[in-house]
């Protein structure tokens, strides 16, 4: 059997439909304000993988162009990549894309392959956004201000308790683990 209970044949067929790692044929950069954003280059069906990416692992959050992928692991563009399109994914509390990856073992030097999947059907030109709070427990510095809502985005830990509870099932595994550790620490002080 293949991963996640798929039969080997079904898993092989699934992989054949996935974009190659580093292939950004289904996306394009678009000028946006003073910078750029990533948009769909063509219509995308709900649940379709749009692109897959990787980079290099660093042991601390360096801020911009860095994404938490494990409790103490952060993905940043590989030195030979420059600025790959994935760094232009923008934040939204109502994202159009879900970023997933297999769990990362502690101190694993191999970067995971992340997959950007459409949450809903997207027309060509639709902005590709994801929710940073589902990936980042505590963001570098003071985070940033969400363009859509004007709210400060500082990571999962800084969401309101009701927002955390609603987001937890969609949060990446390392965020769920860090949140459990935080709650356990809070409870043990009572």
């Amino acid at each position: 059997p293949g991963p996640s209970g798929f039969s080997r044949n079904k898993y092989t067929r699934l992989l054949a439909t996935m974009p190659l790692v580093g292939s950004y044929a289904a996306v394009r950069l678009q000028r946006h304000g003073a910078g750029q954003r990533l948009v769909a280059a063509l219509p995308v069906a709900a649940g379709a993988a749009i692109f897959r990416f990787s980079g290099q692992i660093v042991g601390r959050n360096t801020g911009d162009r860095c994404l938490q992928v494990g409790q103490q692991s952060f993905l940043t563009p590989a030195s030979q990549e420059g600025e790959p399109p994935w760094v232009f994914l923008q934040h939204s509390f109502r994202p159009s894309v879900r970023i997933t990856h297999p769990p990362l073992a502690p101190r694993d030097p191999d970067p995971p392959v992340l997959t950007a999947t459409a949450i809903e059907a997207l027309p060509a030109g639709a902005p590709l956004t994801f929710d940073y709070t589902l990936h980042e427990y505590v963001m570098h510095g003071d985070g940033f201000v969400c363009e859509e809502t004007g709210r400060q985005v500082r990571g999962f830990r800084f969401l309101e308790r009701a927002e955390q509870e609603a987001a937890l099932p969609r949060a990446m595994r390392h965020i769920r683990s860090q949140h459990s550790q935080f709650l356990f620490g809070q409870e043990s002080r009572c």
Side-chain angles (χ1 to χ4, degrees), residues 98-118:
R98 176 161 171 75
I99 305 292
T100 57
H101 61 84
L104 191 65
R107 296 186 182 86
D108 186 348
D110 294 328
V113 172
L114 288 76
T115 302
T117 305

PDB file of all heavy atoms in Angstrom, residues 98-118:
ATOM      1  N   ARG A  98      -5.291  25.966   0.293  1.00  0.00           N
ATOM      2  CA  ARG A  98      -4.814  25.274   1.495  1.00  0.00           C
ATOM      3  C   ARG A  98      -3.424  24.737   1.180  1.00  0.00           C
ATOM      4  O   ARG A  98      -3.217  24.120   0.140  1.00  0.00           O
ATOM      5  CB  ARG A  98      -5.752  24.136   1.858  1.00  0.00           C
ATOM      6  CG  ARG A  98      -5.260  23.320   3.053  1.00  0.00           C
ATOM      7  CD  ARG A  98      -6.396  22.519   3.658  1.00  0.00           C
ATOM      8  NE  ARG A  98      -5.942  21.580   4.648  1.00  0.00           N
ATOM      9  CZ  ARG A  98      -5.551  21.880   5.887  1.00  0.00           C
ATOM     10  NH1 ARG A  98      -5.538  23.132   6.276  1.00  0.00           N
ATOM     11  NH2 ARG A  98      -5.175  20.948   6.723  1.00  0.00           N
ATOM     12  N   ILE A  99      -2.480  25.000   2.062  1.00  0.00           N
ATOM     13  CA  ILE A  99      -1.120  24.492   1.913  1.00  0.00           C
ATOM     14  C   ILE A  99      -0.972  23.295   2.842  1.00  0.00           C
ATOM     15  O   ILE A  99      -1.252  23.402   4.040  1.00  0.00           O
ATOM     16  CB  ILE A  99      -0.071  25.570   2.296  1.00  0.00           C
ATOM     17  CG1 ILE A  99      -0.273  26.849   1.505  1.00  0.00           C
ATOM     18  CG2 ILE A  99       1.342  25.020   2.154  1.00  0.00           C
ATOM     19  CD1 ILE A  99       0.011  26.744   0.046  1.00  0.00           C
ATOM     20  N   THR A 100      -0.551  22.166   2.302  1.00  0.00           N
ATOM     21  CA  THR A 100      -0.369  20.963   3.114  1.00  0.00           C
ATOM     22  C   THR A 100       1.010  20.368   2.854  1.00  0.00           C
ATOM     23  O   THR A 100       1.630  20.630   1.816  1.00  0.00           O
ATOM     24  CB  THR A 100      -1.437  19.899   2.796  1.00  0.00           C
ATOM     25  OG1 THR A 100      -1.371  19.592   1.397  1.00  0.00           O
ATOM     26  CG2 THR A 100      -2.837  20.387   3.142  1.00  0.00           C
ATOM     27  N   HIS A 101       1.455  19.572   3.795  1.00  0.00           N
ATOM     28  CA  HIS A 101       2.708  18.830   3.638  1.00  0.00           C
ATOM     29  C   HIS A 101       2.732  17.708   4.657  1.00  0.00           C
ATOM     30  O   HIS A 101       2.039  17.756   5.673  1.00  0.00           O
ATOM     31  CB  HIS A 101       3.935  19.748   3.796  1.00  0.00           C
ATOM     32  CG  HIS A 101       4.044  20.408   5.132  1.00  0.00           C
ATOM     33  ND1 HIS A 101       4.615  19.803   6.223  1.00  0.00           N
ATOM     34  CD2 HIS A 101       3.655  21.633   5.548  1.00  0.00           C
ATOM     35  CE1 HIS A 101       4.586  20.612   7.251  1.00  0.00           C
ATOM     36  NE2 HIS A 101       3.993  21.739   6.865  1.00  0.00           N
ATOM     37  N   PRO A 102       3.537  16.674   4.377  1.00  0.00           N
ATOM     38  CA  PRO A 102       3.647  15.592   5.353  1.00  0.00           C
ATOM     39  C   PRO A 102       4.315  16.104   6.624  1.00  0.00           C
ATOM     40  O   PRO A 102       5.064  17.088   6.583  1.00  0.00           O
ATOM     41  CB  PRO A 102       4.504  14.544   4.650  1.00  0.00           C
ATOM     42  CG  PRO A 102       5.152  15.235   3.514  1.00  0.00           C
ATOM     43  CD  PRO A 102       4.338  16.453   3.196  1.00  0.00           C
ATOM     44  N   PRO A 103       4.060  15.446   7.762  1.00  0.00           N
ATOM     45  CA  PRO A 103       4.713  15.868   9.005  1.00  0.00           C
ATOM     46  C   PRO A 103       6.232  15.815   8.860  1.00  0.00           C
ATOM     47  O   PRO A 103       6.775  14.955   8.172  1.00  0.00           O
ATOM     48  CB  PRO A 103       4.237  14.848  10.037  1.00  0.00           C
ATOM     49  CG  PRO A 103       3.030  14.222   9.441  1.00  0.00           C
ATOM     50  CD  PRO A 103       3.182  14.307   7.955  1.00  0.00           C
ATOM     51  N   LEU A 104       6.880  16.732   9.515  1.00  0.00           N
ATOM     52  CA  LEU A 104       8.334  16.827   9.477  1.00  0.00           C
ATOM     53  C   LEU A 104       8.875  16.280  10.790  1.00  0.00           C
ATOM     54  O   LEU A 104       8.466  16.728  11.862  1.00  0.00           O
ATOM     55  CB  LEU A 104       8.739  18.293   9.300  1.00  0.00           C
ATOM     56  CG  LEU A 104      10.180  18.600   8.985  1.00  0.00           C
ATOM     57  CD1 LEU A 104      10.549  18.029   7.617  1.00  0.00           C
ATOM     58  CD2 LEU A 104      10.406  20.102   8.979  1.00  0.00           C
ATOM     59  N   ALA A 105       9.770  15.310  10.702  1.00  0.00           N
ATOM     60  CA  ALA A 105      10.380  14.750  11.903  1.00  0.00           C
ATOM     61  C   ALA A 105      11.306  15.795  12.531  1.00  0.00           C
ATOM     62  O   ALA A 105      11.926  16.580  11.814  1.00  0.00           O
ATOM     63  CB  ALA A 105      11.169  13.489  11.551  1.00  0.00           C
ATOM     64  N   PRO A 106      11.392  15.818  13.874  1.00  0.00           N
ATOM     65  CA  PRO A 106      12.306  16.768  14.516  1.00  0.00           C
ATOM     66  C   PRO A 106      13.729  16.607  13.976  1.00  0.00           C
ATOM     67  O   PRO A 106      14.205  15.495  13.758  1.00  0.00           O
ATOM     68  CB  PRO A 106      12.240  16.386  15.992  1.00  0.00           C
ATOM     69  CG  PRO A 106      10.945  15.664  16.141  1.00  0.00           C
ATOM     70  CD  PRO A 106      10.699  14.985  14.819  1.00  0.00           C
ATOM     71  N   ARG A 107      14.361  17.723  13.742  1.00  0.00           N
ATOM     72  CA  ARG A 107      15.742  17.788  13.256  1.00  0.00           C
ATOM     73  C   ARG A 107      15.934  17.123  11.887  1.00  0.00           C
ATOM     74  O   ARG A 107      17.033  16.728  11.523  1.00  0.00           O
ATOM     75  CB  ARG A 107      16.700  17.189  14.272  1.00  0.00           C
ATOM     76  CG  ARG A 107      16.725  17.986  15.561  1.00  0.00           C
ATOM     77  CD  ARG A 107      17.788  17.453  16.507  1.00  0.00           C
ATOM     78  NE  ARG A 107      17.784  18.165  17.738  1.00  0.00           N
ATOM     79  CZ  ARG A 107      16.992  17.882  18.785  1.00  0.00           C
ATOM     80  NH1 ARG A 107      16.137  16.911  18.718  1.00  0.00           N
ATOM     81  NH2 ARG A 107      17.062  18.592  19.887  1.00  0.00           N
ATOM     82  N   ASP A 108      14.850  16.961  11.125  1.00  0.00           N
ATOM     83  CA  ASP A 108      14.955  16.394   9.782  1.00  0.00           C
ATOM     84  C   ASP A 108      15.494  17.484   8.857  1.00  0.00           C
ATOM     85  O   ASP A 108      14.858  18.523   8.681  1.00  0.00           O
ATOM     86  CB  ASP A 108      13.582  15.925   9.295  1.00  0.00           C
ATOM     87  CG  ASP A 108      13.631  15.187   7.973  1.00  0.00           C
ATOM     88  OD1 ASP A 108      14.689  15.223   7.307  1.00  0.00           O
ATOM     89  OD2 ASP A 108      12.619  14.576   7.605  1.00  0.00           O
ATOM     90  N   PRO A 109      16.674  17.279   8.266  1.00  0.00           N
ATOM     91  CA  PRO A 109      17.253  18.318   7.414  1.00  0.00           C
ATOM     92  C   PRO A 109      16.618  18.392   6.027  1.00  0.00           C
ATOM     93  O   PRO A 109      16.819  19.359   5.300  1.00  0.00           O
ATOM     94  CB  PRO A 109      18.718  17.893   7.308  1.00  0.00           C
ATOM     95  CG  PRO A 109      18.668  16.402   7.412  1.00  0.00           C
ATOM     96  CD  PRO A 109      17.534  16.110   8.373  1.00  0.00           C
ATOM     97  N   ASP A 110      15.856  17.359   5.645  1.00  0.00           N
ATOM     98  CA  ASP A 110      15.251  17.349   4.314  1.00  0.00           C
ATOM     99  C   ASP A 110      13.973  18.179   4.311  1.00  0.00           C
ATOM    100  O   ASP A 110      13.064  17.937   5.098  1.00  0.00           O
ATOM    101  CB  ASP A 110      14.927  15.918   3.881  1.00  0.00           C
ATOM    102  CG  ASP A 110      16.176  15.082   3.693  1.00  0.00           C
ATOM    103  OD1 ASP A 110      17.217  15.652   3.302  1.00  0.00           O
ATOM    104  OD2 ASP A 110      16.121  13.873   3.960  1.00  0.00           O
ATOM    105  N   PRO A 111      13.889  19.151   3.424  1.00  0.00           N
ATOM    106  CA  PRO A 111      12.675  19.970   3.375  1.00  0.00           C
ATOM    107  C   PRO A 111      11.503  19.168   2.828  1.00  0.00           C
ATOM    108  O   PRO A 111      11.667  18.328   1.941  1.00  0.00           O
ATOM    109  CB  PRO A 111      13.048  21.106   2.426  1.00  0.00           C
ATOM    110  CG  PRO A 111      14.145  20.559   1.582  1.00  0.00           C
ATOM    111  CD  PRO A 111      14.874  19.563   2.431  1.00  0.00           C
ATOM    112  N   PRO A 112      10.314  19.421   3.362  1.00  0.00           N
ATOM    113  CA  PRO A 112       9.128  18.736   2.834  1.00  0.00           C
ATOM    114  C   PRO A 112       8.707  19.354   1.506  1.00  0.00           C
ATOM    115  O   PRO A 112       9.113  20.459   1.168  1.00  0.00           O
ATOM    116  CB  PRO A 112       8.075  19.006   3.908  1.00  0.00           C
ATOM    117  CG  PRO A 112       8.466  20.336   4.462  1.00  0.00           C
ATOM    118  CD  PRO A 112       9.983  20.345   4.444  1.00  0.00           C
ATOM    119  N   VAL A 113       7.885  18.624   0.781  1.00  0.00           N
ATOM    120  CA  VAL A 113       7.250  19.173  -0.416  1.00  0.00           C
ATOM    121  C   VAL A 113       5.862  19.631   0.016  1.00  0.00           C
ATOM    122  O   VAL A 113       5.091  18.860   0.585  1.00  0.00           O
ATOM    123  CB  VAL A 113       7.158  18.119  -1.536  1.00  0.00           C
ATOM    124  CG1 VAL A 113       6.318  18.646  -2.698  1.00  0.00           C
ATOM    125  CG2 VAL A 113       8.547  17.721  -2.000  1.00  0.00           C
ATOM    126  N   LEU A 114       5.567  20.897  -0.221  1.00  0.00           N
ATOM    127  CA  LEU A 114       4.286  21.473   0.143  1.00  0.00           C
ATOM    128  C   LEU A 114       3.404  21.538  -1.096  1.00  0.00           C
ATOM    129  O   LEU A 114       3.899  21.753  -2.201  1.00  0.00           O
ATOM    130  CB  LEU A 114       4.468  22.874   0.719  1.00  0.00           C
ATOM    131  CG  LEU A 114       5.076  22.941   2.120  1.00  0.00           C
ATOM    132  CD1 LEU A 114       6.565  22.701   2.114  1.00  0.00           C
ATOM    133  CD2 LEU A 114       4.761  24.254   2.766  1.00  0.00           C
ATOM    134  N   THR A 115       2.108  21.326  -0.902  1.00  0.00           N
ATOM    135  CA  THR A 115       1.160  21.350  -2.013  1.00  0.00           C
ATOM    136  C   THR A 115       0.113  22.427  -1.759  1.00  0.00           C
ATOM    137  O   THR A 115      -0.466  22.486  -0.679  1.00  0.00           O
ATOM    138  CB  THR A 115       0.459  19.981  -2.168  1.00  0.00           C
ATOM    139  OG1 THR A 115       1.451  18.973  -2.364  1.00  0.00           O
ATOM    140  CG2 THR A 115      -0.515  19.980  -3.329  1.00  0.00           C
ATOM    141  N   ALA A 116      -0.101  23.271  -2.753  1.00  0.00           N
ATOM    142  CA  ALA A 116      -1.139  24.305  -2.700  1.00  0.00           C
ATOM    143  C   ALA A 116      -2.357  23.757  -3.451  1.00  0.00           C
ATOM    144  O   ALA A 116      -2.270  23.456  -4.637  1.00  0.00           O
ATOM    145  CB  ALA A 116      -0.654  25.589  -3.351  1.00  0.00           C
ATOM    146  N   THR A 117      -3.465  23.619  -2.739  1.00  0.00           N
ATOM    147  CA  THR A 117      -4.692  23.041  -3.289  1.00  0.00           C
ATOM    148  C   THR A 117      -5.822  24.066  -3.202  1.00  0.00           C
ATOM    149  O   THR A 117      -5.967  24.744  -2.180  1.00  0.00           O
ATOM    150  CB  THR A 117      -5.076  21.778  -2.479  1.00  0.00           C
ATOM    151  OG1 THR A 117      -3.969  20.878  -2.485  1.00  0.00           O
ATOM    152  CG2 THR A 117      -6.287  21.089  -3.063  1.00  0.00           C
ATOM    153  N   ALA A 118      -6.617  24.156  -4.252  1.00  0.00           N
ATOM    154  CA  ALA A 118      -7.750  25.090  -4.262  1.00  0.00           C
ATOM    155  C   ALA A 118      -8.815  24.629  -3.272  1.00  0.00           C
ATOM    156  O   ALA A 118      -9.232  23.481  -3.298  1.00  0.00           O
ATOM    157  CB  ALA A 118      -8.343  25.177  -5.657  1.00  0.00           C
TER     158      ALA A 118
END
